Amino acid sequence: DEAMAARLLCGSDISEAAAADGSPACPQMPGAVAALISAYTPPTFLLHGTMDAFYSLEHMRVLARALAEASVPHVAVELPLMPHASHIAPAGIPAQLVAYALT
């Protein structure tokens, strides 16, 4: 889950790590996760809303670059004006994109 990942990678909960100035909640997270990517990483679908208040769009871009460098098949989609977890609403456009990408 997201809170557990934040505790493992940032050493704190996202809400505790978030900076008052709006900078990424855990600036070291993309590099830490990217370091785990290897040729054994399965094909990956990345979906990120540009209005995500928890993670910078750069997080996804760092992961996409790491996946490309490891020759891992992946798709990275940036959704304009979408907030964090916008894919959860089953009838929403982000959820439909996820369903399409996974079929």
Side-chain angles (χ1 to χ4, degrees):
D1 95 319
E2 191 173 302
M4 184 173 77
R7 283 190 296 277
L8 289 171
L9 296 170
C10 298
S12 64
D13 188 276
I14 290 173
S15 61
E16 295 169 8
D21 66 359
S23 61
C26 180
Q28 71 272 28
M29 188 180 293
V33 174
L36 300 174
I37 293 172
S38 73
Y40 299 104
T41 301
T44 304
F45 179 70
L46 302 169
L47 180 69
H48 196 97
T50 61
M51 300 297 288
D52 191 325
F54 294 102
Y55 297 100
S56 164
L57 185 57
E58 187 59 23
H59 283 125
M60 185 191 75
R61 292 175 179 160
V62 167
L63 293 176
R65 283 192 297 272
L67 290 164
E69 289 171 7
S71 299
V72 174
H74 67 283
V75 174
V77 178
E78 295 179 15
L79 293 174
L81 306 176
M82 289 292 159
H84 186 77
S86 58
H87 65 284
I88 292 175
I93 291 172
Q96 293 175 34
L97 285 170
V98 170
Y100 177 78
L102 297 178
T103 58

